[in-house]
Amino acid sequence: LGAAAAVGASPVAPARRSGRIRVAVVGSLAFRKSPFLAARIAAASRFSGGTVEVEAHLIGSGRLAGDIRQLAAQLNASDLVRLRGELPHDEAWRWIVSSADAVLAPSLQYETFGMVLAEAMAHGVPLFAFGSELALSGVNAFVI
């Protein structure tokens, strides 16, 4: 994976291991943030016929945690969907910078400004987003 990082940010070395790509999803486990989409992306990576699987690490809390676990189990992808719970800000970003290959912002709602997007860019972590004034495809993110 690679993406243009924010100007002046040092690039992050990829954290490859065992044929899996780790994506971090940071934020509340709420419908407006589309956390189910992250679980579906991880599951689809297993059954798409490709050689690389996606591990979705959801960092945050919310009432949808049990539903996300249930969906991952139904999709036979419980090992690819990791709910890490609420982490202190600095600890979350230390983990992301050292262990994640990218940040995924799966919110399907248009967000005018997302702190997670800005922080991913500031840390030089590749970013995949579905839409935001901050995420510019080919410039500082992959916009899906």
Side-chain angles (χ1 to χ4, degrees):
L1 289 174
V7 176
S10 57
V12 174
R16 301 265 187 246
R17 71 214 109 317
S18 68
R20 286 187 174 173
I21 295 172
R22 284 184 177 176
V23 297
V25 180
V26 184
S28 62
L29 302 180
F31 282 109
R32 65 183 172 78
K33 297 290 187 177
S34 306
F36 294 107
L37 187 54
R40 290 184 181 284
I41 289 169
S45 73
R46 170 165 289 156
F47 301 106
S48 67
T51 58
V52 177
E53 293 180 333
V54 173
E55 281 182 14
H57 292 258
L58 287 80
I59 301 171
S61 62
R63 63 182 184 84
L64 297 179
D67 295 330
I68 294 166
R69 279 191 190 90
Q70 184 177 10
L71 175 63
Q74 289 171 349
L75 297 174
N76 196 27
S78 294
D79 62 315
L80 297 177
V81 180
R82 311 281 175 90
L83 279 78
R84 300 180 88 59
E86 193 74 32
L87 296 176
H89 180 269
D90 290 345
E91 183 181 332
W93 282 101
R94 270 194 305 276
W95 183 87
I96 291 167
V97 169
S98 68
S99 301
D101 295 294
V103 167
L104 172 65
S107 177
L108 296 175
Q109 283 188 325
Y110 188 81
E111 296 191 27
T112 55
F113 189 86
M115 282 304 297
V116 171
L117 306 178
E119 290 184 90
M121 287 184 271
H123 286 290
V125 179
L127 172 63
F128 291 85
F130 284 84
S132 167
E133 287 181 8
L134 196 58
L136 304 173
S137 193
V139 177
N140 59 12
F142 294 102
V143 177
I144 302 167

